[in-house]
Amino acid sequence: MTDFATAMQRWTVGAATITSVVEDQVDIPTGFLFPEATEADVLRHPWLVPDWADETGTVQLRTQAFVVQIDGLTVLVDPCVGNGKVRWIPAWNDLDMPFLERLADAGCTPPDVELVLHTHLHADHVGWDTHKRGDDWVPTFTGARHLYTEAELDFARTSGLAGEDVYGDSIAPIFDAGLGEVVMPDADLGHGMRLEFTPGHTPGHTSLWIESDGEVALITGDFMHHPLQFAEPQIAEIADADAELARHTRARMLREMARTGALVLGTHFPSRPAGRVKVDGNAWRFYPE
Ligand SMILES: [Zn+2]
Ligand SMILES: [Zn+2]
């Protein structure tokens, strides 16, 4: 476990700022996250140690949201697992994390949030949208528009794991409260923000481009999970719904990240989640900032 909770990480993109708000960061056996990979695959790329993996080749994975302040707007992207949710993955079940306190430390309280974006609707990207009041799940960001794509809503309704109800506890209450809105997966959101359709991990997955004063950033979501995938882009993640399409998307986006020179923020990247992508032999390398 790192000291992630004490050090705030914030980046500037032109006149915009992007702040990481961490829910948790854990060590994870490489072969659990990436069934086709081993610790030896990690150690073939010494630049991954120590920022994103340890000297045994075990990778770390972070759950974090990003707060984007741009053009006078406060935007929250992918609000993590949430507290008290019944979840199939033990590390996500019935959490009790000081996420909202860390959000406040980042200068943002729930009433400040005007827009909530979801790259996709897996349990670790929608959790803080609701919290428990009595027996009910109620919206946390009551003044915010929450954006979704139709394909993700369909997938979330039909792909739930036994024993958990992500749609029921974290999505339906937002629409019931009139705070939900469906957008196209390549929607121009204005204020320098644009979605890009990046399917594969899930059918309606999107990523977020942010542009301010000529500078560009990209919040990946889960078309990548870890910097190992810069060096080994073919490696699929365990939850990729369509691994072949995810590979295709990753290859396309890697070229885009390098071409644009964007500041790339990896939604699950641990410790040093932001950096730039450059060609490295037949693959790519991530240079943290
Ligand atoms: Zn996911
Ligand atoms: Zn995820």
Side-chain angles (χ1 to χ4, degrees):
M1 193 70 64
T2 59
D3 58 351
F4 63 80
T6 55
M8 186 169 61
Q9 293 176 306
R10 175 171 287 164
W11 301 267
T12 59
V13 180
T17 64
I18 305 174
T19 307
S20 164
V21 180
V22 178
E23 182 178 72
D24 202 5
Q25 181 169 312
V26 296
D27 293 333
I28 183 163
T30 300
F32 180 82
L33 186 63
F34 301 118
E36 302 154 359
T38 65
E39 278 74 12
D41 293 318
V42 174
L43 295 176
R44 263 208 310 280
H45 310 287
W47 59 268
L48 291 166
V49 180
D51 287 330
W52 305 290
D54 70 18
E55 61 289 340
T56 71
T58 299
V59 296
Q60 286 94 42
L61 195 72
R62 187 184 261 197
T63 41
Q64 69 196 320
F66 292 110
V67 175
V68 181
Q69 314 237 231
I70 185 167
D71 200 23
L73 262 190
T74 299
V75 183
L76 183 63
V77 184
D78 283 352
C80 302
V81 176
N83 277 357
K85 301 275 165 88
V86 176
R87 294 294 180 252
W88 180 81
I89 294 177
W92 295 351
N93 186 50
D94 196 21
L95 294 188
D96 182 16
M97 294 287 183
F99 177 86
L100 294 179
E101 289 79 353
R102 292 179 191 152
L103 186 68
D105 289 344
C108 178
T109 63
D112 297 328
V113 177
E114 294 162 280
L115 196 59
V116 180
L117 304 183
H118 312 97
T119 58
H120 64 302
L121 303 180
H122 276 155
D124 53 322
H125 297 257
V126 295
W128 284 99
D129 284 356
T130 61
H131 62 281
K132 198 135 201 196
R133 186 188 294 152
D135 288 334
D136 298 326
W137 292 103
V138 297
T140 304
F141 311 107
T142 51
R145 298 160 57 213
H146 297 59
L147 305 190
Y148 306 84
T149 65
E150 195 65 61
E152 277 305 299
L153 288 170
D154 288 344
F155 188 64
R157 279 189 207 100
T158 56
S159 66
L161 297 166
E164 62 177 48
D165 184 9
V166 175
Y167 191 87
D169 62 39
S170 298
I171 299 170
I174 302 301
F175 282 92
D176 291 346
L179 300 172
E181 207 173 293
V182 175
V183 295
M184 297 301 288
D186 59 353
D188 185 339
L189 304 177
H191 307 280
M193 293 179 293
R194 180 173 64 81
L195 298 181
E196 176 152 357
F197 187 36
T198 47
H201 178 64
T202 57
H205 191 283
T206 60
S207 302
L208 178 66
W209 289 102
I210 296 160
E211 189 169 357
S212 175
D213 289 349
E215 292 185 37
V216 181
L218 175 75
I219 295 179
T220 60
D222 285 9
F223 76 75
M224 301 189 77
H225 280 76
H226 189 274
L228 172 63
Q229 290 172 300
F230 291 110
E232 309 261 353
Q234 77 285 357
I235 290 177
E237 192 263 348
I238 186 164
D240 287 349
D242 182 337
E244 203 44 53
L245 181 57
R247 276 188 198 99
H248 209 265
T249 290
R250 201 155 46 247
R252 169 170 66 85
M253 293 304 287
L254 282 163
R255 289 193 296 272
E256 276 302 286
M257 290 186 270
R259 185 185 68 78
T260 58
L263 180 72
V264 172
L265 298 108
T267 299
H268 284 298
F269 292 6
S271 301
R272 303 189 72 185
R276 315 261 171 190
V277 180
K278 294 196 174 115
V279 173
D280 183 31
N282 294 326
W284 313 87
R285 181 168 164 177
F286 192 53
Y287 292 84
E289 290 190 3

